Amino acid sequence: MGIAAMLGTPVKRREDPRLITGQATYVDDIKLLGMLHMTVLRSPYGHARINTINTDAARQLPGVVAVYTAQDIKGTVGNIPVAAPLPPHITSGMGRRLPLAEEKVRFYGDPVAIVIAENRYIARDALDLIDVDYEPLPVAIDVEKAMQPDSPILYEEFKTNVATSMHPSSEQIDKIFADTVANGGVIVKERFVNQRLAPSPMETRGVVAEYRKSDKALSLWSSSQIPHLLRNYLAIQLGLEQNQVRVIVPEVGGGFGCKLNIYPEEALASFAAMKTGRPVKWIEDRDENLAATIHGRDQVNYLEAAATRDGKVVGLKFHVISDMGSYLQFFTDVIAIAFTLPMLSGCYDIPNIYSSCDTVFTNKAPTDAYRGAGRPEATYMVERAMDVIANELKRDPAEIRLLNFVQPEQFPHTMATGALYDSGNYGAALEKALDIIAYDKLREEQKQKRAQGKLMGIGISSYVEMCGIGPKGTTPFGLYESARVRIEQSGTVIVYTGTSPHGQGEETTFAQIVGNALSIPQEKVLVLHGDTDSTPEGRGTYGSRTTSVGGSAVFQATERLKEKMKTIAASMLEASASDIELEDEKFTVAGSPQKSVPFKKVAAAANTSNTLPPGIEPGLETTVFFEPEACTFPFGTHICVVEVDQDTGEPEITRYVAVDDCGKQLNPLIVAGQVHGGIAQGVGQAMYEEVVYNEDGQLLTSTFMDYAMPIAPELPHFELGHTVTPTNVNPLGVKGVGEAGTIGSTPAVAAAIADALGVAHIDMPLKSEKLWRIIHKQ
Amino acid sequence: MTTKRSITVTVNGQQHQTEVEPRMLLVHYLREVLDLTGTHIGCNTSQCGACVVMLNGEAIKSCTVLAVQADGGEVLTIEGLAPEGGLHPIQEGFWEKHGLQCGFCTPGMIMASYQLLKNNPHPTETEIRRGLEGNICRCTGYQNIVKAVQDASERMSTSAETPVPAGD
Amino acid sequence: MSVPAAFDYHPATSVDEAIALLQQYGDEAKLLAGGHSLIPAMKLRLSQPEHLIDIGKISSLSYIREEQDHIVIGGLTTYVQIEQSDLLRKHFPLLPEATSMVGDQQVRNRGTIGGSIAHSDPAADLPGVVLALKAEIVVQGPQGKRTIPADDFFVDTFTTALAPDEILIEFRLPKATGSTGSAYDKLANKASHYAIAGCAAVITRGQDGSCSAASIAITGATVRTIRARAVENALVGKQLSETVIAEAVSHATDGEDMIVDIHGSEEYRRKMAAVVARRAIMRALERI
């Protein structure tokens, strides 16, 4: 493979050798001398007053070192951090919590006490010996009931569960709707439930905390997506200086947004290590993960859409209710407002969009970012709206989409929601998907199958998402990304990135970026991440931002060093720096190929020479902070074909085509992998997954015996295609692909199943009993 | 306090004699006593397969087996699949075909694939998917895992020497 | 942390030794075979025995062999041994078929037929199969061996006719006479993959082509594993047309209490029991 071909080629991942041999180090693989183990006692109630906690018996169990409750940490450990508290109530303290519940528990799984013991078996045994006297309280589970005045209240002092309520005047949209009707157009209405999901990375959360009292140095290993944010907030929580806390993120077994958070256990294990003077490990169990790690989605949405008779959508009116669960985690209060509302125009040029939004507390686990975070909800609503309109007008769903797309020449385009889309060619992606699946033939086949009484359905979803946060000036704090690049005297390179990849393969992608820029083999580049003591301040890996924002920082830092090397090479070759070219690991004077100096020699000179040109500092190292000016908007079209079993209602995906456009692809192998995994999770939401609480607030999906996710035999072979529409928002022309599959797939599957059953809409998850009831009108 | 028991287990060809609490799970024995941390714990209810190892030649979920049940037995873990410094064809297949992302399910997935190919050296796609029904991957959507197993199957049928460690 | 509470461990090398241990520790003891029902329950601390008697290494209880009028299966025979048995595939195809639908490869490698039957989980697949095959279940206690017909074995949810000091050692499956076919069908939930409803069917056709004997058992749907007598009665003596079968299976769960959970309501489970029963019967007929 030629060096120039390194970008855009399917380079095998450099991360893999350690992962396929069992040599990678995840948090639970860390063993420190004298290490203690922590377990967490959690509330078995959805809502209860804590009268007393008796920990005597637990403390007396041999091997138990300490037991702590809220009383022990109060005044020493601060509240769980919240990125962007919104007025009026959250800024006044609503939804804030100590890492251990005081006075009240507010969800099944709420941490009440911790045990610190010599080993994890004893730490587990001791939990059974803690006696908590609870006084159960009525629960608020259904989000719409929780908004009513007679609902049980989680935070009594606020006299409501509604934290923010945004209801702008709807006068203008109502007039547009009235005019549409007057002009013979149609109005459709639908209610959508975007159900609560458990992110369920295969590795649960985990923490190891070690504290050196002599100089107040806390080291925390955590399975996290955000090492620097965690370090900064944890220092505040624990009353330490920022530079007294070091966060190390080792190998992370998946995050999907749920590790983009600062959780109680991080501060609790740190507190215990500080108190006992010994390292403390806590590894979350799967039942804790399902109960107490954040959940995703959980919105109830109301839609009204107005369209002309010929299918042009003239207005959409949304009401979004965000079920935040019981407490605020990092982004809980802003997911709907910051990520759902801006995307409510989807791929479509709709002149009028109205949205109102309520965010509400209920007695369930907190919700926060889960793969897509607010954007899948928007896409789902918009795509379902297009189908409902198509259904109403008896038009083909592909046709309705093509009719309403923003056209390629309109970009950059400001939508009625206010979002500024960078670039796109939605029609091309849809046409390509239709082509791959042979759409017209497929509709013919569907007619024949229907004639035989078979329930075959076809669903289309054209999505666009907003990635690469966050633009300057629009976020609560700077969401830049950083890279420190060092070229060593031997010609090898070390990249220290502020991002924190955990499965995305950025070590490989970043090495490709550097190798390509410096015309050296990517194997010469080492990419390091996840240690706050060595990497520059970064914001972490989430929101499909790592390549577009972090990769751009890596690119710019590399380019900066390349320029410096050109100056040095120019002096070595006695030429002008502007004439120096870098190719095939050589600096050459343009037009004089015989005048060249190897890359390695220039690297050595820069690092070791004492005769560098005037004004040139020794060394080859620089740090770049890249702060994007705007977001990127990847897009695509997914088409799903299903067949539903008449007798049982069981749906089966028989074909799946995805055409995605994430701008330039730096490593197509990794891009395809992200799309596959994204589709699987989106299919999971459509057909399998749902966190269920009963009316008393008990969690019914507390193990994988009850929380269903797709397994290999249940998924089809995905047929992928792509289009390439670069962006000029970043120097790499990339848009992001981490969440695309998840966002695109859910509405496609939902549409296919509704189509199979010949109805406009069915709420997810589309499980067999629900479908059977529709088929048999039960 | 219960009586500890002495067990002898051969792991990756090496014999270990250890005193363990009877309630110690095999996965904890491997990870915490023998420091073989390549085997992972994902769900604890035997759904996910992150803890799959070979016990006496058969793939098992080591979170649902007691260490004392493995007394006198032979265990093969991800660490022992290939000779030091080498890769087993299944490992090569997973690397070549991008059959992993976060890597957490991977050791269990590879060990399950090991049994699958042992029973059926030339599986169809359907047979591969069915054979991996006890392993959950949250990252890959399984497509590249299927390709990885197909790739391994080809490698194993063309390679004269498939590294199979002692004790299996 | 999902780990068992502490217990003492007693590996038994023979059935007699295991029975002696059971007598010694009484209610505080539990038998451990493959452990795939018991260990998960112990990890969740739903079960906290003080003594665990491991019979898993009594290799003399692991066999499948043919006798004159029976196929006999040792209590510690694993699912995978059953699944791969040509002998069973020939005589009782529903048994390997049902076994192949249990859990996954790793579970089938460890789990044993005796463990599953003694645990008597109504959601499990094999209790229904053993019922439909009219197995004679041989158990051994301090007083020696006795044989319990499968019909008398399953008393209630997680409750069997096995005495606390007895061990389930063998299944004796009477060989089919005449033209007999058998099948197992199951609608699995998407999380644990246990049955929402399953059905084991054994159908014998007489010389005139009508159904001369039927043995139908339902799994997953009802709170205890049952023979669906109403279905059997509606089949026997009739020519098995689709109409006759459809009518018969509509009685699959008549009068039974149903399992209700997030994977299926009572109504759905009743209807699905009928669907899988119809499918199992049709497939059994094809195999005659």
Side-chain angles (χ1 to χ4, degrees), chain A residues 99-115:
Chain A
L100 288 171
E102 305 174 77
E103 294 170 20
K104 277 213 314 190
V105 288
R106 292 186 177 85
F107 73 102
Y108 174 97
D110 204 349
V112 173
I114 53 172
V115 171

Side-chain angles (χ1 to χ4, degrees), chain A residues 38-43 50 53 55 67-75 77-80 96-107 109-116 127 130 134 237 263-269 271-272 327:
Chain A
M38 177 173 105
T39 51
V40 183
L41 183 72
R42 298 179 185 278
S43 167
I50 300 172
I53 306 177
T55 61
V67 181
Y68 301 115
T69 68
Q71 295 311 313
D72 300 298
I73 64 165
K74 205 168 172 158
V77 181
N79 284 343
I80 298 299
R96 309 303 291 271
R97 66 161 157 168
L98 258 190
L100 288 171
E102 305 174 77
E103 294 170 20
K104 277 213 314 190
V105 288
R106 292 186 177 85
F107 73 102
D110 204 349
V112 173
I114 53 172
V115 171
I116 311 297
L127 293 182
I130 300 173
Y134 292 105
Q237 269 186 292
Y263 284 99
E265 293 83 358
E266 285 157 332
L268 293 172
F271 170 82
Y327 296 102

Side-chain angles (χ1 to χ4, degrees), chain A residues 86-94 96 158:
Chain A
L86 293 181
H89 296 322
I90 291 170
T91 41
S92 313
M94 190 183 198
R96 309 303 291 271
F158 293 92

